[in-house]
Amino acid sequence: MMLLRIASASLWNRRLAVGLTLFTVAISVALLLLVERVRVQTRASFASTISGTDLIVGARSGPVQLLLYSVFRIGDASNNIRYSTFEELAAQPQIAWAIPISLGDSHRGFRVMGTSGAYFEHFRHGRAQPLRFASGAPFSALHEAVIGATVAAKLGYQLGDSIIVAHGGGNHDIMVHDDQPFRVVGILAPTGTPVDHTVHVSLESLEAIHADWQHGVRLPARGPAQDHDPDHGHDTDHDHGHEADPDHHKPENITAIFVGLKNRSAAFALQRQLNNYPGEPLLAIMPAYTLTQLWSLVGVAESALMLISICVVLAGLLGMSTALVTTLNERRREMAILRALGARPWQIAALLLLESTAITLLGALVGALLMAVALWIAAPWVAASFGLYLDPFAFTPRELAFSAAVLVGGLIAGLIPAWLAYRRSLADGLTLHT
């Protein structure tokens, strides 16, 4: 107890230098914990985005690309698939349900997704949690929209509000479908997934708003006899009229299909069948397996970031050890007095170890606080920009293990100044050096 009080008083007397050293350790610990927190919660956020979907079917491209744009709304599809393919697939006996989705438009930076009523019935996230409505109900007619929780919160929308969909993605609504506004009829409860950042409309509505567009430009008004263009689709441009009846706006192309099977053991056989589909080039993926492929791709970057953060921590601890060593000359008289009062050499060494441990412990605590504050500040922006939800206060056992390792590292770093202090003699401390 006496050594602890002496160490506290000594640290306080050198509070400026100790404060700077402590801040260095805190920054390094904050970086280490931040990398670990973002890594773990990013994986958890991705894993909870979709649940219960056995296959995702899209145009033939890369499996990871298909997963990213269809589930996480990251990137764009390289091609579409025919709606008739969806109808054939949905009619197969092993299919329990199938959800068509169509992407390509946006509203004030949020993705607009065309789908069917099956989406609200069958789509699951997290631990097989269904979509819930905070207010309103699914769309049932043209020009009705269901918005995610973040869309409603950030843009201040309520039921009955009117929204304008823009042609294409991006944050700037330049080519807008302002002649056919949508009415908000439902607001989904928060899910912590990209669903919160999505505006959902019917596939028929997307067809309707693109009826008078071609190559991203609205065409002049045309007569009913000239309206139909057999090559139209959602992500390609359209060229036909926009009657109010949804039956007149049956989609011809969609972006992807979420598939649920009656028996999951049939997933591999159906995947092979779809990958060799003779009608058009398709790609069927299993979300969980493709997510594993994604993590294997980013694992190298994760390891590199973790290695860098560990090196930063080692540099911080080495800096603390250097700072303690450089103060030994200034503290020779202090140690000589302690020896004269009866302190033994091991007690002097223990005093230095206590100081290094105290600096490391406080640095780890301040570092954890800095990390939490940084995440608390950045979390809304990260959620809005990437659809990732980071909890600033969800400390994990692995993070606690890292903190304990840093504490042990600080104790080891204190051995060098402790050993040097141990070797100082009483005569050396009582001799004035000029």
Side-chain angles (χ1 to χ4, degrees):
M1 185 59 72
M2 180 60 72
L3 278 178
L4 187 60
R5 277 186 289 189
I6 294 174
S8 301
S10 178
L11 290 174
W12 179 250
N13 287 334
R14 295 177 286 114
R15 51 187 174 274
L16 178 59
V18 170
L20 293 175
T21 305
L22 189 150
F23 185 69
T24 303
V25 175
I27 290 293
S28 63
V29 172
L31 179 62
L32 176 67
L33 297 181
L34 185 64
V35 170
E36 172 64 13
R37 180 69 62 86
V38 171
R39 185 189 71 83
V40 171
Q41 296 205 350
T42 298
R43 290 193 175 213
S45 180
F46 271 57
S48 64
T49 298
I50 190 167
S51 173
T53 298
D54 298 305
L55 292 173
I56 299 174
V57 183
R60 189 165 296 168
S61 57
V64 173
Q65 182 190 5
L66 174 56
L67 181 74
L68 289 178
Y69 71 71
S70 62
V71 177
F72 304 109
R73 321 282 194 264
I74 298 174
D76 295 301
S78 58
N79 209 343
N80 289 325
I81 58 179
R82 291 194 292 268
Y83 189 75
S84 59
T85 300
F86 160 74
E87 292 177 314
E88 292 179 19
L89 176 65
Q92 295 200 25
Q94 63 267 50
I95 304 292
W97 50 264
I99 302 172
I101 64 168
S102 186
L103 299 166
D105 288 336
S106 63
H107 171 69
R108 298 177 64 178
F110 295 100
R111 287 295 187 101
V112 173
M113 187 177 82
T115 185
S116 67
Y119 178 77
F120 304 105
E121 182 180 354
H122 297 295
F123 185 82
R124 297 288 185 272
H125 64 94
R127 297 181 177 178
Q129 296 170 274
L131 296 177
R132 293 185 299 104
F133 277 81
S135 58
F139 48 73
S140 58
L142 289 179
H143 305 119
E144 292 184 345
V146 173
I147 59 177
T150 302
V151 180
K154 289 200 69 174
L155 303 182
Y157 286 151
Q158 297 179 350
L159 296 182
D161 285 350
S162 178
I163 64 175
I164 303 294
V165 173
H167 193 79
N171 294 320
H172 303 289
D173 296 350
I174 299 176
M175 308 298 288
V176 296
H177 300 278
D178 54 357
D179 58 329
Q180 298 188 58
F182 283 79
R183 182 172 61 90
V184 177
V185 297
I187 300 175
L188 293 172
T191 63
T193 72
V195 172
D196 297 347
H197 300 257
T198 304
V199 176
H200 307 83
V201 301
S202 67
L203 292 171
E204 292 78 10
S205 295
L206 282 183
E207 287 291 315
I209 63 174
H210 290 91
D212 298 327
W213 287 64
Q214 189 173 52
H215 304 304
V217 179
R218 183 184 300 154
L219 298 174
R222 306 177 61 180
Q226 298 172 293
D227 285 343
H228 183 66
D229 180 353
D231 296 330
H232 79 285
H234 169 54
D235 282 339
T236 58
D237 294 303
H238 304 258
D239 188 19
H240 62 99
H242 44 84
E243 297 83 353
D245 187 353
D247 292 338
H248 289 285
H249 301 287
K250 180 182 177 181
E252 294 194 0
N253 295 315
I254 57 176
T255 304
I257 308 168
F258 295 151
V259 176
L261 300 177
K262 295 176 181 175
N263 186 350
R264 288 191 170 183
S265 62
F268 288 102
L270 184 60
Q271 184 186 27
R272 284 194 298 272
Q273 178 185 338
L274 291 173
N275 287 336
N276 295 290
Y277 183 69
E280 63 176 320
L282 296 179
L283 174 67
I285 63 170
M286 297 181 185
Y289 178 73
T290 306
L291 199 55
T292 304
Q293 288 182 300
L294 175 63
W295 295 137
S296 66
L297 290 175
V298 302
V300 176
E302 287 181 348
S303 300
L305 283 175
M306 184 58 69
L307 181 62
I308 291 172
S309 59
I310 290 174
C311 290
V312 172
V313 171
L314 292 177
L317 296 178
L318 189 60
M320 179 191 68
S321 180
T322 304
L324 289 175
V325 169
T326 54
T327 60
L328 286 181
N329 282 336
E330 302 171 2
R331 301 175 63 187
R332 280 180 174 173
R333 187 175 297 280
E334 172 191 343
M335 295 178 187
I337 293 173
L338 290 174
R339 290 293 306 276
L341 292 175
R344 296 184 177 182
W346 69 266
Q347 291 176 313
I348 300 297
L351 178 65
L352 270 295
L353 283 176
L354 269 178
E355 291 183 2
S356 66
T357 304
I359 292 173
T360 309
L361 178 61
L362 290 175
L365 293 174
V366 174
L369 182 62
L370 284 176
M371 183 272 295
V373 171
L375 276 184
W376 180 70
I377 294 173
W381 177 80
V382 173
S385 302
F386 306 105
L388 298 176
Y389 291 84
L390 303 175
D391 187 346
F393 304 107
F395 290 94
T396 65
R398 189 177 165 93
E399 292 175 8
L400 296 178
F402 278 144
S403 301
V406 170
L407 199 58
V408 173
L411 186 63
I412 294 173
L415 289 176
I416 298 175
W419 179 73
L420 291 175
Y422 181 84
R423 291 176 59 87
R424 304 291 186 190
S425 67
L426 179 61
D428 183 40
L430 293 176
T431 302
L432 290 177
H433 295 265
T434 59

